[in-house]
Amino acid sequence: MQQYPHQQYPPHQYPPQQYPPHQHPDPYAQPYGAAPAPGCVFCGAQPAVQATVRGHQGILYVMRFLSRSGMFCRSCGLATYREMSAKTLWQGWWSPLSVAITPLTLLMNLGPRARFRKLGPPMGGFRPSLDPGKPLTRRPEAMLFLIPMALLALLLPVLFVIGLLADDPYDGPTTTGGETAQTLSVGDCVRNDGDWHEQDLQTLDCGSADAQFKVTRILRSTGEQCADGDYLADTKYSSDGMTTSCLTPLR
């Protein structure tokens, strides 16, 4: 049998070993056991964000609270927000409580809208993304809401001005039976052709048999009072519309 000479190595040294060439890890490889990031529920595209978009309908005494939850890409999220908010603008006002719930619903949708707008363009979906369409303020549903709101904003100042210009029924002389109420003075004699809730005082000569009362005093301060047995004339028969007169019975 052939023998080979024993190979000698320097002390403290070992034979060289062969290693495979250095390999760089794949930066896009998923870790073992890790699930891929979820995509949009409508198109599967990424990036996507979890959100809930809400809607509201009010019909007399019936209300419906609507919502869509899930992962949304930028395009599908904005399309969902604009669709549900537009419908809420014209379907959400027709019940008593909905007048307060609808504005809250629209305000709550501003949070998801801001998150959608921060996302990048959708990529890698298994189907085309939804078309966001026109902005909310340029849709017919929004105009149906803005027109009555604009008319109401114009109507309120008009009603306020009309209220200021309208005659106050207790400001100055009023009419009774189609005639201007007369201002009573101390010494005048009158008769009442109405009742004491709806007075109709007519000034007469004190010597007339039809005269029933005589004006004996005008109460110009809160501490003044009429004598016992006197009646009080309505303030519409005073010069300022605020003071009253004491009517003393003639019989």
Side-chain angles (χ1 to χ4, degrees):
M1 181 176 63
Q2 183 179 1
Q3 294 183 353
Y4 297 94
H6 182 70
Q7 187 175 0
Q8 299 294 329
Y9 297 98
H12 306 293
Q13 292 187 2
Y14 300 93
Q17 297 183 3
Q18 299 295 326
Y19 295 93
H22 180 70
Q23 296 181 356
H24 295 279
D26 185 0
Y28 300 99
Q30 294 290 338
Y32 179 76
C40 176
V41 294
F42 289 101
C43 66
Q46 295 182 2
V49 65
Q50 177 71 32
T52 299
V53 184
R54 305 181 186 277
H56 182 73
Q57 295 177 347
I59 307 172
L60 298 179
Y61 296 100
V62 179
M63 294 184 297
R64 295 182 61 193
F65 296 85
L66 310 175
S67 65
R68 290 182 185 174
S69 299
M71 300 293 294
F72 295 90
C73 67
R74 176 186 174 92
S75 297
C76 294
L78 290 176
T80 303
Y81 157 75
R82 292 174 180 176
E83 176 191 359
M84 297 191 69
S85 296
K87 290 182 178 179
T88 301
L89 278 174
W90 71 275
Q91 294 179 352
W93 304 95
W94 313 115
S95 71
L97 293 179
S98 295
V99 175
I101 297 175
T102 294
L104 294 178
T105 302
L106 296 173
L107 290 176
M108 292 174 64
N109 282 344
L110 294 180
R113 171 182 175 271
R115 300 175 67 185
F116 299 149
R117 292 174 64 89
K118 292 180 181 179
L119 296 174
M123 300 178 62
F126 54 80
R127 67 176 61 177
S129 302
L130 299 179
D131 182 9
K134 295 181 179 180
L136 189 60
T137 54
R138 295 171 55 190
R139 298 198 174 199
E141 296 90 342
M143 296 303 298
L144 293 175
F145 166 74
L146 294 176
I147 290 176
M149 291 297 101
L151 293 177
L152 180 60
L154 294 175
L155 183 61
L156 289 177
V158 173
L159 293 177
F160 179 74
V161 173
I162 293 176
L164 292 179
L165 298 178
D167 291 334
D168 189 344
Y170 296 100
D171 186 13
T174 59
T175 58
T176 303
E179 298 179 359
T180 303
Q182 299 179 3
T183 301
L184 298 180
S185 303
V186 175
D188 289 343
C189 293
V190 298
R191 77 168 187 270
N192 183 19
D193 292 339
D195 55 36
W196 289 105
H197 295 286
E198 296 291 338
Q199 296 180 13
D200 184 9
L201 302 181
Q202 302 295 328
T203 304
L204 301 173
D205 185 88
C206 291
S208 172
D210 295 331
Q212 298 173 326
F213 307 95
K214 185 173 184 178
V215 180
T216 56
R217 188 174 188 179
I218 297 178
L219 305 181
R220 302 187 182 278
S221 63
T222 56
E224 295 180 329
Q225 296 182 354
C226 295
D228 293 341
D230 285 359
Y231 292 83
L232 298 177
D234 197 296
T235 56
K236 64 185 179 182
Y237 294 101
S238 62
S239 58
D240 57 5
M242 299 176 60
T243 57
T244 188
S245 304
C246 299
L247 302 179
T248 303
L250 295 177
R251 302 179 183 84

